Amino acid sequence: MKTLVRAAAAATIIGLAGGLGGCASLITGGELIRPGEPTGGLQIRNVSRTNSIDVVVVSDCNALTYGLNRLPSGYSIPPGGSYTFTLSAGCWDVGAGEVLSQNTWTEGYTKVTVTPGRVTTVQSR
């Protein structure tokens, strides 16, 4: 249900964003590092032997949307590989998936708590 609500909210926000300055965080899912807050790491580990992770979305648990892909442009997490984000400590909604074709994909979502000074690992299925 949260995914559907967030998707509807994202569509509405994107439609309104042109007329609203400074609302980019509503589309992106917010800043990963909030000024003045302690940080930790979030490692996305791909345990697949054959499939890459093409998209990782990360947003504060209170954000309206999951936001946009947080991986660097053109980057995928290869089978057996990992990627670590630096985030403010606290609650984060995380999603990851693989683009299979122009209109099909696989995805999974979880909620994690990032601890200051530590790396929290989430792995694919």
Side-chain angles (χ1 to χ4, degrees), residues 12-103:
T12 301
I13 290 166
I14 290 170
L16 296 174
L20 299 173
C23 292
S25 67
L26 295 176
I27 296 170
T28 64
E31 295 297 323
L32 297 181
I33 300 174
R34 295 179 292 266
E37 293 187 13
T39 61
L42 172 65
Q43 180 183 67
I44 308 298
R45 183 179 301 159
N46 185 356
V47 298
S48 171
R49 294 181 186 208
T50 57
N51 301 324
S52 294
I53 294 174
D54 303 315
V55 177
V56 176
V57 292
V58 180
S59 67
D60 182 285
C61 287
N62 295 320
L64 293 175
T65 70
Y66 280 102
L68 304 174
N69 186 11
R70 301 294 188 149
L71 289 173
S73 180
Y75 184 80
S76 293
I77 303 171
S82 65
Y83 188 88
T84 302
F85 297 90
T86 299
L87 308 173
S88 287
C91 182
W92 294 91
D93 287 322
V94 179
E98 176 189 16
V99 178
L100 302 173
S101 69
Q102 186 174 8
N103 57 3

Side-chain angles (χ1 to χ4, degrees), residues 1-13:
M1 183 66 162
K2 185 175 182 181
T3 301
L4 293 175
V5 170
R6 285 183 169 189
T12 301
I13 290 166

